[in-house]
């Protein structure tokens, strides 16, 4: 517990299955556990309504969880931050996507937090993306494999992420086919559900079809876990795995919540070096984001290293 409790306002998306929402919810729980008074304000239109409510509450700290697609426009953010500071709040902002544009926005708002170091930016606080608050985890790998119908002696490679274009699940599965075909004990588990953006529903259907077609070549050794598994099932499926991977071709925090699940499950991970979670520790192998072939090679190399 802290000696001086504070009123802390967190401002973020409140969408189900959104990684930043998940991260913010876990942060809120942790701060409440330390004895602070915490409120979670949703970034949704009309933006002025939630900001006005926060201003009336008079928080000691106001913390923006920023990603451009879920935030008010840049000038509005700067204006809201000014109102909050004038009301006596300390204002800070966590950037979940780090580009020159978002760093510029962050500097207009308040103290900047990032989850990974960024070259040539030294006026920020770096806090590594943490584990989830999942509690004590069942790490009986043999038992978990029986639970999910996976052979106990298999080598299981897993990934987590929405079915959205830049995660490119079908392409990665296709590039992993030769590796899977080399040995009959290799399994691939793709934990990928439809995104909440309805515009991507057609793309998700295409992903399902392609992954199903690839799975048909390997007698069930490609497992597609769809339909939003519970947090417990997700972590347990990763705990039943031998290695994970998360591909991201550009500088972003996307899939950070998924990567925290790998860490919680004590599952080694190959991640592109553009991601926050590439800096979590020695259990994560950093691979270049510029070449998918190089990324696949990192998976091959890591899977053969005992």
């Amino acid at each position: 517990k802290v000696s001086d409790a504070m009123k802390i306002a967190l401002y973020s998306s409140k969408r189900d299955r959104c990684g930043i929402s998940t991260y913010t919810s876990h942060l809120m729980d942790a701060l409440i556990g330390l004895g602070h008074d915490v409120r979670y304000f949703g970034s949704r239109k009309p933006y002025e309504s939630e900001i006005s409510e926060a201003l009336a509450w008079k928080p000691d700290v106001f913390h923006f969880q920023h990603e451009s697609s879920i935030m008010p426009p840049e000038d509005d953010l700067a204006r809201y931050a000014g109102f909050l500071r004038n009301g006596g709040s300390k204002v800070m902002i966590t950037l979940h996507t780090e580009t020159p544009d978002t760093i510029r926005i962050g500097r207009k708002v308040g103290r900047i937090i990032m989850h990974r170091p960024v070259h040539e930016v030294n006026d920020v606080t770096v806090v590594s993306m943490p584990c989830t608050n999942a509690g004590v985890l069942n790490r009986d790998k043999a038992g978990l494999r029986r639970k999910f119908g996976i052979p106990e002696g298999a080598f299981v490679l897993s990934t987590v992420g929405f079915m959205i274009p830049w995660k490119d699940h079908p392409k990665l599965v296709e590039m992993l086919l030769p590796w899977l075909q080399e040995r009959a004990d290799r399994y691939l588990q793709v934990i990928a559900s439809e995104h909440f953006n309805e515009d991507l529903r057609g793309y998700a259907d295409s992903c399902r079809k392609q992954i199903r077609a690839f799975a048909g070549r390997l007698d069930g050794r490609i497992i597609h876990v769809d339909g939003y598994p519970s947090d417990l099932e997700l972590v347990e499926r990763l705990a039943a795995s031998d290695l994970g991977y998360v591909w991201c071709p550009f500088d972003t925090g996307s899939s950070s919540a998924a990567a925290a699940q790998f860490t919680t499950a004590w599952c080694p991970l190959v991640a592109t070096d553009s991601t926050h979670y590439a800096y979590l520790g020695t259990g994560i192998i950093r691979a270049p984001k510029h070449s998918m072939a190089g990324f696949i090679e990192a998976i091959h190399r890591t899977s053969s290293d005992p």
Side-chain angles (χ1 to χ4, degrees):
K1 297 284 185 179
V2 294
S3 56
D4 296 316
M6 295 185 292
K7 295 169 67 175
I8 302 175
L10 303 179
Y11 184 81
S12 170
S13 162
K14 276 192 172 181
R15 297 186 180 109
D16 290 340
R17 296 289 169 177
C18 167
I20 296 175
S21 298
T22 301
Y23 171 78
T24 305
S25 295
H26 291 166
L27 178 60
M28 179 179 70
D29 291 343
L31 290 169
I32 290 172
L34 290 172
H36 297 294
D37 184 4
V38 186
R39 293 192 187 181
Y40 184 168
F41 295 91
S43 175
R44 57 195 170 206
K45 296 179 180 178
Y47 298 119
E48 289 80 2
S49 176
E50 292 283 296
I51 293 295
S52 295
E53 187 176 339
L55 283 166
W57 188 52
K58 298 186 181 300
D60 299 303
V61 175
F62 190 96
H63 191 163
F64 290 95
Q65 296 284 343
H66 182 273
E67 205 286 322
S68 297
S69 65
I70 62 173
M71 283 286 124
E74 176 179 345
D75 290 343
D76 287 343
L77 275 178
R79 182 162 52 88
Y80 297 153
F83 292 156
L84 289 157
R85 281 193 294 270
N86 289 340
S89 300
K90 294 180 179 178
V91 181
M92 58 187 64
I93 182 168
T94 292
L95 299 181
H96 286 269
T97 301
E98 299 118 355
T99 66
D101 286 343
T102 58
I103 291 169
R104 183 192 67 246
I105 293 169
R107 285 175 174 152
K108 288 183 178 181
V109 171
R111 180 178 176 182
I112 299 175
I113 298 170
M114 295 181 181
H115 293 304
R116 64 187 181 89
V118 176
H119 297 304
E120 300 177 357
V121 179
N122 54 20
D123 57 342
V124 303
T125 300
V126 176
V127 180
S128 295
M129 179 62 69
C131 301
T132 66
N133 54 356
V136 178
L137 174 66
N138 176 8
R139 294 177 61 197
D140 174 13
K141 184 173 286 190
L144 290 172
R145 289 188 173 188
R146 287 193 296 272
K147 178 178 179 178
F148 298 120
I150 300 170
E152 186 174 340
F155 183 95
V156 182
L157 174 67
S158 295
T159 190
V160 178
F162 282 124
M163 289 184 282
I164 55 180
W166 60 261
K167 292 183 185 288
D168 220 344
H169 291 297
K171 182 63 176 178
L172 286 159
V173 171
E174 182 179 22
M175 294 182 72
L176 284 165
L177 281 177
W179 176 81
L180 289 163
Q181 290 166 337
E182 284 178 1
R183 286 175 43 175
D185 63 343
R186 289 175 175 167
Y187 278 65
L188 175 61
Q189 184 175 225
V190 181
I191 306 172
S193 302
E194 190 171 305
H195 196 267
F196 49 77
N197 185 340
E198 292 186 0
D199 293 341
L200 294 173
R201 182 167 296 168
Y203 180 82
D205 288 339
S206 174
C207 277
R208 291 186 182 100
K209 183 177 179 181
Q210 293 179 73
I211 295 171
R212 189 163 54 245
F214 292 134
R217 302 185 193 180
L218 291 168
D219 300 323
R221 289 194 288 121
I222 297 176
I223 304 164
H224 183 196
V225 182
D226 197 352
Y228 304 116
S230 68
D231 288 341
L232 176 60
E233 178 183 346
L234 174 57
V235 175
E236 287 186 339
R237 283 186 174 275
L238 298 183
S241 306
D242 296 289
L243 180 66
Y245 72 86
V246 181
W247 162 261
C248 179
F250 45 79
D251 291 331
T252 179
S254 193
S255 292
S256 295
Q261 304 281 15
F262 280 101
T263 306
T264 301
W266 289 67
C267 180
L269 177 67
V270 176
T272 47
D273 58 10
S274 57
T275 52
H276 299 326
Y277 41 87
Y279 294 84
L280 274 174
T282 56
I284 297 180
I285 308 301
R286 296 202 292 268
K289 65 179 178 289
H290 302 295
S291 167
M292 189 176 284
F295 181 73
I296 295 295
E297 174 56 34
I299 293 173
H300 292 173
R301 186 171 60 251
T302 306
S303 67
S304 65
D305 183 352

